[in-house]
Amino acid sequence: ENEQRVRFAGYSVDLYKITAFVIAGIYAGTAGVLTTFHEKIASPEQLSWAVSSEAVLYTTVGGAGTLLGPVLGASTVILVRELLSDHLSSWLIFVAFSYLALIFFLPQGLLPLITDRFKPRVAAPGRATRSSPSNAFQGDSHAGADPRVSVPD
């Protein structure tokens, strides 16, 4: 994240940038070729800003920085689009408002909301949580300690 530090550490930042750009270009080219084979046509409509903005939408909804975030975002947006387009004629307005609400209330996307539920909770000293053992040994000199660990007296 800090080019100057990486340069100071002795790495060639420009080489890594060019390598990342080439790898991204290979993936984008492969995706374009596969899409052309699947659609059996290459039209200028596939180069519109709406198609490009879908990738940004997927990443923003799911959460950037991981591989799972954009996958979650794409799954969510496509599922909502398929469900709402059958019932509402102006489903894009709903998508726009929910996108704005997501940016305001969950700026990191949906993935951190889901992964935070599964992280172990760390209790403050002397307080028990769902994941820590209860303080059943109140009279013991090692109250609040993990009962599986034996401490010599």
Side-chain angles (χ1 to χ4, degrees), residues 79-124:
L79 181 68
V80 168
R81 178 175 55 196
E82 293 300 319
L83 291 175
L84 291 179
S85 64
D86 291 340
H87 303 293
L88 298 173
S89 61
S90 58
W91 62 273
L92 275 174
I93 294 173
F94 177 78
V95 170
F97 282 124
S98 58
Y99 184 58
L100 288 173
L102 183 82
I103 289 173
F104 283 121
F105 298 114
L106 293 172
Q108 299 297 320
L110 292 175
L111 186 65
L113 181 71
I114 294 170
T115 56
D116 286 348
R117 299 226 184 252
F118 297 107
K119 285 185 180 176
R121 297 184 182 182
V122 178

Side-chain angles (χ1 to χ4, degrees), residues 21-35:
F21 188 76
V22 167
I23 291 171
I26 289 170
Y27 277 115
T30 304
V33 168
L34 292 176
T35 301

Side-chain angles (χ1 to χ4, degrees), residues 20-91:
F21 188 76
V22 167
I23 291 171
I26 289 170
Y27 277 115
T30 304
V33 168
L34 292 176
T35 301
T36 303
F37 282 132
H38 180 263
E39 301 291 327
K40 296 187 173 100
I41 190 170
S43 66
E45 292 174 359
Q46 295 173 341
L47 300 175
S48 69
W49 68 270
V51 175
S52 300
S53 67
E54 283 183 358
V56 175
L57 177 67
Y58 300 155
T59 303
T60 307
V61 168
T66 63
L67 183 61
L68 192 59
V71 171
L72 176 67
S75 303
T76 304
V77 171
I78 291 172
L79 181 68
V80 168
R81 178 175 55 196
E82 293 300 319
L83 291 175
L84 291 179
S85 64
D86 291 340
H87 303 293
L88 298 173
S89 61
S90 58
W91 62 273

